[in-house]
Amino acid sequence: MGAHRARWIATSVVAIEASVLLVGLVSDRLLVRAGHADVVSFGGETWVLLLGVASAAVVGFAIVRTEPRHPVGWLFLALSAMILVSGPLEAWIEWGQLARPGSLPATGAVAAVNDATWIPWFVLVALILLLTPTGTYLSPRWRALGRVVVGAGAVAFLLGLLKTDPFESPFQDIENPWAVPVIQPASAWVEYGLVLLVAAGLVASGVSLLLRWRRARGDEKRQLLWLALVVVPLPVFVVAAFVASNAGSSVGTVASTGGFVVLIPIAAGLSITRYHLYDVERILARTTTYVLLSLLLIGTYGLIVWFGARGAQRWSTSPAVAATVGALVVAAIAAPARRAIQELIDRRFNRRRYDAVRLVGAELADERAGRDLAALFRRAFDDPSVAVAYPGARPDTWVTDAGLAPPKMVDWVGVARHGQIVARIGYDPTRTDAEVVSAGARIAAAELDNAGLRAELARRLGDVESSRRRLAEAQRTERRRIERDLHDGAQQQLLALAMELRSAHLSGNDERMRQALSDGATAAQSAVRELRDLANGLHPAALSDGGLPAALDDLARHSPVDLHLEVEVPRLDPALEFTAWLVICESLVNAQKHAHATRVTVEVHQHDCQLRIRIRDDGHGAANPDGPGLRGMRDRVEAAGGTLVIDSPAGAGTSIQAVLPCAS
């Protein structure tokens, strides 16, 4: 069953139960007017069972809302429905047999069903205890017990429909249309034995929960504490219920039955609010808030309408005026009443969470810049070790607001906003609770998102400054290289040529002069080639004359490794062509010098106003993306407004992809 469908069903069940309760109250009102106030459904001791209905419905609804597949939530809802169904069944019998005899059909059949409805209570409570809190049985033996209880309860319920004994007062004169005298009294004794078996199974299920509690440790043991306390007197309640029933004491029967039918849902609710049983504390608090709010608003509206009706009789005014005034008053007090009730519940059941949320909310209401969120959380959670981390530049990396690595924490709570994790809060689980941290984080999610953006901006500015320093250092290094190449190459050749020519001129030997001129021409040509190669390294002539395709073709002819080109681009902006050229040349040098590649493939395409470059080699891979060569390449690409992605698994070569923006 899907979560959405489960929540819809749970909501419908609670709404139907509320409607049934309302119908029962209206029916009681009609019975009082008809002179049968002694047979009303909701009066005297029955309010004890209505408390069980309310507690079971609230707890079951809260569990289903958070864990739709957990069977205990549905069992609590079924228990509330089975307890409540006796009210309208009795109203049907009372109205159709006592108030208006013959006005409703099948009163005898309804009386038979109503007389046996208490049996499923025992079965459902037993299953709840057997399956709490995991939703599974403690062992296969306990699973067998659950099946025995269900089977015995089902057979006892069916046999109860066939009995010939008179119903309980005031329905003792009603005949059971399903009675089968032939199987009596054997059927009655079998039914009684099965009921005793169900009762024994109920007590045994309590033992199962006590065993869980005894074997549990830490938080799990505290989760089961309240239920364990209620289970201890369970045998007393069961025995008292049977004794009171046999003695004909309706008050004693209701009180003893309510001892476990009412207290077990209440104990589960206390376990939820105090120790997160089923992890539904927040939903339970919200559900309780809206239940109390609904009762307050309905009571307020009813009180105003009631006073209005009395005033209408006295002053001859229309009852519609009172209804309108009641609706306006209810609308006016709904929002402040909800806040007040929610604050009361939070303060009562989770004071630490309430104080933390209130402190964080008060601080965030003070709109000032430069707020230290980590310090705020340390005060709110009473945990000096709290740390806040934000997503880093790379996946699965985190940094503080200062751009540093966060400290190592035992536990972290992720803070989501618009479906994305915008921050993480680290805390010490021995000093604070994850739910308290999550509640404070939800209040500050927007501020944490802004702080993360500020941290990202600071990081990017730091990267820009670092990139500028690296580019400046690279330019200085390049100038020194050019100076060294000029000094050691062409400059030395030209100086040697000048000295040789001067020496030949001073010697006066014509033959030596001719030889010196011939050698000088050769040396000058060599110097010119060195200067041309140096100039090509700075900005190759082929790039200026023919663009990137021509420059890469020239590079492929002189490359010491097999260079395969797939280039389909027109002439581009000179600065863009030069950046692409440098990226490809640096990648080729790295593939040859460091990766010992034998083949390099270069793909260059223009698509959607972007120049896409991909260089792949068959080297040994494992390139360091933070090395000086690749780091300088990334700086150059990012300075041009582009992005660079490096993939270099060990033993599988290196792939470098650069994307540069270009004019359409």
Side-chain angles (χ1 to χ4, degrees):
M1 182 185 299
H4 178 74
R5 184 181 179 186
R7 296 188 185 104
W8 182 85
I9 294 175
T11 304
S12 301
V13 169
V14 174
I16 292 172
E17 290 181 354
S19 302
V20 169
L21 179 60
L22 181 61
V23 170
L25 293 174
V26 172
S27 175
D28 282 357
R29 184 66 176 173
L30 295 175
L31 285 170
V32 171
R33 289 184 177 180
H36 296 281
D38 55 327
V39 294
V40 294
S41 300
F42 302 111
E45 67 276 3
T46 57
W47 287 104
V48 176
L49 297 180
L50 288 180
L51 180 59
V53 172
S55 58
V58 169
V59 172
F61 179 75
I63 297 173
V64 172
R65 288 280 297 179
T66 53
E67 298 188 38
R69 297 183 180 275
H70 203 299
V72 174
W74 296 106
L75 290 173
F76 270 122
L77 287 177
L79 177 61
S80 67
M82 289 306 301
I83 298 174
L84 184 62
V85 75
S86 60
L89 291 180
E90 289 188 3
W92 183 281
I93 304 167
E94 292 159 355
W95 190 260
Q97 190 71 25
L98 302 178
R100 299 284 177 86
S103 60
L104 293 176
T107 53
V110 174
V113 173
N114 179 68
D115 196 59
T117 52
W118 59 273
I119 297 177
W121 301 0
F122 281 59
V123 176
L124 291 170
V125 172
L127 292 177
I128 288 172
L129 295 177
L130 287 171
L131 296 173
T132 296
T134 60
T136 58
Y137 293 97
L138 191 59
S139 69
R141 292 183 179 179
W142 293 105
R143 180 185 297 108
L145 174 64
R147 292 174 177 174
V148 169
V149 170
V150 172
V155 175
F157 181 82
L158 292 176
L159 292 178
L161 300 179
L162 306 178
K163 68 180 183 179
T164 57
D165 296 340
F167 300 123
E168 294 183 0
S169 177
F171 308 133
Q172 64 274 12
D173 296 331
I174 300 177
E175 294 184 2
N176 182 3
W178 295 333
V180 182
V182 174
I183 62 175
Q184 304 298 333
S187 173
W189 283 106
V190 172
E191 177 195 357
Y192 191 74
L194 292 175
V195 168
L196 290 178
L197 181 60
V198 171
L202 174 59
V203 174
S205 66
V207 175
S208 167
L209 189 133
L210 288 177
L211 288 176
R212 286 185 190 265
W213 175 76
R214 186 175 180 181
R215 297 174 184 177
R217 294 291 182 271
D219 289 341
E220 185 180 356
K221 192 164 189 172
R222 289 192 294 271
Q223 285 176 345
L224 296 171
L225 177 61
W226 286 100
L227 281 171
L229 292 176
V230 171
V231 163
V232 170
L234 183 61
V236 177
F237 286 125
V238 173
V239 172
F242 276 88
V243 171
S245 177
N246 290 329
S249 174
S250 60
V251 175
T253 303
V254 171
S256 54
T257 305
F260 58 89
V261 172
V262 175
L263 291 181
I264 286 177
I266 292 177
L270 291 173
S271 296
I272 291 169
T273 56
R274 293 182 63 84
Y275 298 112
H276 316 295
L277 185 66
Y278 311 117
D279 296 324
V280 295
E281 177 186 359
R282 183 171 59 87
I283 298 298
L284 180 65
R286 295 296 181 268
T287 303
T288 305
T289 297
Y290 284 107
V291 168
L292 294 178
L293 178 63
S294 300
L295 293 176
L296 175 64
L297 297 181
I298 292 172
T300 302
Y301 181 80
L303 191 62
I304 293 175
V305 172
W306 183 75
F307 276 111
R310 294 177 64 90
Q313 295 175 359
R314 179 175 299 179
W315 297 300
S316 300
T317 59
S318 173
V321 175
T324 304
V325 172
L328 293 176
V329 171
V330 166
I333 68 172
R338 188 198 66 81
R339 288 193 295 268
I341 295 173
Q342 186 66 65
E343 182 177 329
L344 177 64
I345 291 176
D346 288 342
R347 184 167 63 247
R348 172 63 183 85
F349 290 108
N350 196 338
R351 185 56 184 257
R352 189 169 186 181
R353 176 184 180 275
Y354 169 77
D355 291 339
V357 170
R358 186 174 64 172
L359 177 58
V360 172
E363 287 289 330
L364 295 180
D366 182 9
E367 299 179 358
R368 66 174 185 272
R371 180 183 291 106
D372 187 348
L373 292 177
L376 171 60
F377 291 142
R378 293 187 192 108
R379 288 190 292 118
F381 305 148
D382 192 23
D383 182 1
S385 67
V386 167
V388 181
Y390 304 96
R394 297 178 185 173
D396 299 327
T397 60
W398 299 88
V399 296
T400 64
D401 54 358
L404 305 176
K408 293 183 178 179
M409 303 295 296
V410 177
D411 284 322
W412 293 86
V413 168
V415 184
R417 188 165 187 250
H418 302 311
Q420 294 183 341
I421 299 296
V422 299
R424 292 198 311 173
I425 301 177
Y427 66 98
D428 183 356
T430 63
R431 298 193 59 116
T432 190
D433 187 74
E435 203 280 332
V436 175
V437 177
S438 298
R442 284 193 295 269
I443 296 296
E447 187 66 22
L448 285 168
D449 193 6
N450 293 334
L453 294 175
R454 290 193 294 268
E456 175 67 11
L457 179 60
R459 184 191 65 78
R460 288 180 178 252
L461 290 176
D463 288 346
V464 170
E465 293 178 358
S466 299
S467 177
R468 287 178 176 175
R469 288 194 296 269
R470 288 192 295 267
L471 289 175
E473 180 63 27
Q475 290 174 351
R476 287 193 294 270
T477 302
E478 186 68 13
R479 284 198 298 270
R480 288 193 294 270
R481 184 188 69 80
I482 294 173
E483 292 174 357
R484 185 176 61 252
D485 290 346
L486 288 173
H487 179 272
D488 297 339
Q491 178 180 339
Q492 295 298 325
Q493 293 183 16
L494 293 176
L495 288 175
L497 173 60
M499 293 179 62
E500 180 65 24
L501 291 176
R502 184 175 296 280
S503 175
H505 173 70
L506 293 176
S507 67
N509 187 331
D510 294 341
E511 183 64 26
R512 185 179 177 184
M513 178 62 71
R514 285 194 294 272
Q515 184 62 38
L517 290 173
S518 176
D519 293 342
T522 302
Q525 291 175 354
S526 177
V528 168
R529 283 195 299 272
E530 287 195 17
L531 291 174
R532 182 181 295 113
D533 291 340
L534 181 62
N536 281 335
L538 296 177
H539 198 288
L543 183 63
S544 300
D545 298 338
L548 195 58
L552 293 178
D553 287 339
D554 184 65
L555 182 64
R557 286 192 294 270
H558 298 89
S559 174
V561 299
D562 182 16
L563 182 60
H564 178 69
L565 300 176
E566 296 181 12
V567 183
E568 298 179 2
V569 292
R571 287 305 305 265
L572 304 169
D573 179 76
L576 178 62
E577 289 182 334
F578 185 60
T579 300
W581 161 260
L582 291 178
V583 169
I584 296 171
C585 288
E586 181 68 23
S587 301
L588 185 61
V589 170
N590 289 337
Q592 175 191 356
K593 183 178 179 180
H594 302 294
H596 306 292
T598 59
R599 177 181 173 85
V600 179
T601 301
V602 177
E603 302 173 6
V604 185
H605 303 281
Q606 184 182 8
H607 180 68
D608 292 339
C609 299
Q610 290 180 332
L611 183 65
R612 300 178 181 271
I613 305 169
R614 186 182 184 190
I615 306 103
R616 294 175 294 162
D617 64 57
D618 60 355
H620 55 64
N624 180 14
D626 293 323
L630 294 178
R631 178 72 261 187
M633 187 189 305
R634 178 178 282 109
D635 290 341
R636 193 178 298 278
V637 170
E638 291 178 353
T643 58
L644 186 75
V645 177
I646 302 170
D647 183 21
S648 185
T654 300
S655 173
I656 298 176
Q657 299 185 60
V659 178
L660 297 167
C662 58
S664 57

